[in-house]
């Protein structure tokens, strides 16, 4: 697993845990940076992802709700929600990562972390976000 893949997984863990516990993701991130729960420090890219998702969460959630075809955010598995937010942030707001890579990484993590149906769902929704990116950012 590459460094950015690990950072994405760590960001998904933080976003998921914060949502499940009903706490601010930035507070949880700060706690993890200050006192890591594992031997490894929190990668800078994890920090970038969590901060970016939180900063753009309203727009990201609006896009996901609009294009998820009959699925509200609350109906989606929580892990999928975290991965979709990460993938959407990377596609829409992070020019350092090619859009196809962002989608592929989210799909791979969905296969590892979520339901059997999640990779196809994440691929379809993020593929739509990727295709509509020019109009979504206009």
């Amino acid at each position: 697993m590459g460094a950015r893949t690990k950072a994405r997984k760590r960001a998904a863990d933080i976003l998921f845990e914060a949502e499940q516990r009903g706490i601010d993701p930035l507070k949880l991130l700060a706690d993890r940076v200050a006192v890591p729960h594992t031997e490894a420090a929190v990668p800078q890219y994890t920090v970038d992802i969590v901060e970016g998702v939180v900063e753009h969460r309203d727009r990201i959630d609006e896009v996901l709700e609009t294009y998820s075809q009959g699925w509200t955010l609350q109906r989606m598995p929580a892990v999928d929600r975290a991965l979709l937010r990460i993938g959407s942030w990377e596609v829409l707001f992070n020019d350092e990562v090619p859009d196809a890579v962002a989608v592929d990484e989210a799909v791979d993590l969905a296969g590892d972390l979520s339901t059997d149906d999640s990779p196809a769902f994440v691929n379809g929704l993020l593929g739509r976000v990727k295709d509509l990116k020019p109009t979504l950012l206009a």
Side-chain angles (χ1 to χ4, degrees), residues 20-65:
Q20 295 305 302
R21 292 176 56 197
I23 61 175
D24 180 6
L26 295 177
K27 166 89 172 83
L28 182 60
L29 175 65
D31 291 347
R32 293 294 187 269
V33 169
V35 184
H37 286 15
T38 64
E39 294 177 17
V42 175
Q44 180 58 48
Y45 194 57
T46 296
V47 173
D48 296 344
I49 292 169
V50 173
E51 289 176 348
V53 167
V54 169
E55 178 182 351
H56 298 284
R57 183 172 168 174
D58 289 343
R59 181 65 177 137
I60 289 168
D61 285 358
E62 176 188 347
V63 167
L64 293 174
E65 282 268 355

Side-chain angles (χ1 to χ4, degrees), residues 37-100:
H37 286 15
T38 64
E39 294 177 17
V42 175
Q44 180 58 48
Y45 194 57
T46 296
V47 173
D48 296 344
I49 292 169
V50 173
E51 289 176 348
V53 167
V54 169
E55 178 182 351
H56 298 284
R57 183 172 168 174
D58 289 343
R59 181 65 177 137
I60 289 168
D61 285 358
E62 176 188 347
V63 167
L64 293 174
E65 282 268 355
T66 300
Y67 297 103
S68 61
Q69 297 182 0
W71 283 80
T72 64
L73 280 173
Q74 295 310 311
R75 252 187 91 201
M76 296 175 195
V79 172
D80 293 3
R81 220 174 10 251
L83 295 173
L84 286 164
R85 286 173 174 151
I86 291 167
S88 295
W89 174 77
E90 285 189 313
V91 167
L92 297 173
F93 301 105
N94 184 3
D95 293 333
E96 294 177 15
V97 176
D99 295 345

